[in-house]
Amino acid sequence: MILGMERILQYIYYKCINYNFIHLLCMPIDSLDIGTFNDLYCVSLKSSFNEVMMAFKDSSSYTLPVTNEYGRFIYLIDTSMLLNVVLKCPTRVRLTVADVISYNGVLPESQLHRVVYETDSLKEVLKKLHDADANNVVVLDSDQVVKGIITTSDMLLFLGFSVGLFQKSFRNVRTETIKTFDTSPDSFQ
């Protein structure tokens, strides 16, 4: 058996219940120090293939939220989707995020299982990560605006510190900044 992230999270989850950390699981995620809310890169449907590649490189992430012009969540795009496009379309110079999504044939509605809200509890986030069989979920506010991403690694580190499995000195700090690529015609002048 391979010891994967889901098994480790499951172990920590049960340890939380057995050692009276259940209150931690009931807390809303906006009150916890968990996830990536600093230097979060988002792309739009109009972002070019090259812009998306640079966003992946600069963010050191494998998944990026796709937003509309108001910052509202539309989709999650990942590096495997770009690889599919590279294999199918060698002349990818003028491709946009919308093209990448259509090449992969996945509808935006299918991404809703990877969405959590700032007011959701830690338990609900754990359930979404497990049920979606995903490595991350996107965090939205009540207006569907992207606020951050929580990965299984973030969850593991947070719960490990909270339950006392890890030393506190490794804990990272959550701050609030989101970077969006401007794809308006004025931005290229």
Side-chain angles (χ1 to χ4, degrees):
M1 174 196 280
I2 296 174
L3 185 62
M5 204 63 92
E6 287 85 19
R7 293 267 186 227
I8 296 170
L9 284 175
Q10 191 174 39
Y11 167 76
I12 294 174
Y13 174 78
Y14 288 118
K15 188 166 173 118
C16 283
I17 292 172
N18 292 335
Y19 291 98
N20 294 325
F21 284 95
I22 195 72
H23 68 281
L24 182 68
L25 297 174
C26 296
M27 293 180 72
I29 56 174
D30 65 350
S31 67
L32 302 172
D33 182 21
I34 184 171
T36 302
F37 293 80
N38 181 32
D39 297 330
L40 178 68
Y41 285 79
C42 296
V43 294
S44 74
L45 287 172
K46 296 178 183 178
S47 296
S48 72
F49 185 89
N50 292 337
E51 289 172 326
V52 175
M53 291 300 292
M54 289 304 295
F56 277 121
K57 179 182 170 283
D58 292 344
S59 69
S60 301
S61 176
Y62 298 105
T63 307
L64 294 173
V66 179
T67 59
N68 65 12
E69 61 271 11
Y70 304 108
R72 291 193 177 107
F73 175 74
I74 298 173
Y75 201 78
L76 278 172
I77 189 169
D78 60 36
T79 52
S80 65
M81 295 175 77
L82 293 180
L83 183 59
N84 285 340
V85 171
V86 169
L87 295 173
K88 292 177 183 177
C89 181
T91 58
R92 59 191 178 279
V93 177
R94 297 190 186 267
L95 289 179
T96 64
V97 169
D99 297 326
V100 171
I101 292 170
S102 67
Y103 269 104
N104 284 278
V106 182
L107 298 174
E109 295 81 33
S110 67
Q111 297 285 305
L112 295 179
H113 68 282
R114 293 177 68 181
V115 169
V116 296
Y117 294 91
E118 291 177 308
T119 55
D120 286 351
S121 71
L122 190 60
K123 184 177 180 178
E124 291 167 328
V125 176
L126 272 170
K127 183 170 174 25
K128 282 274 188 168
L129 282 167
H130 181 267
D131 292 349
D133 193 27
N135 291 327
N136 52 47
V137 290
V138 65
V139 180
L140 306 178
D141 67 9
S142 59
D143 293 326
Q144 306 294 344
V145 175
V146 175
K147 292 297 179 183
I149 289 182
I150 297 176
T151 67
T152 52
S153 296
D154 295 332
M155 190 65 76
L156 175 62
L157 288 172
F158 177 78
L159 289 174
F161 286 123
S162 300
V163 177
L165 296 178
F166 305 129
Q167 297 175 6
K168 295 278 185 191
S169 62
F170 293 110
R171 192 167 192 160
N172 56 350
V173 178
R174 172 182 162 178
T175 57
E176 308 264 341
T177 310
I178 294 181
K179 295 181 181 178
T180 305
F181 279 97
D182 185 6
T183 58
S184 65
D186 297 336
S187 68
F188 297 109
Q189 296 177 7

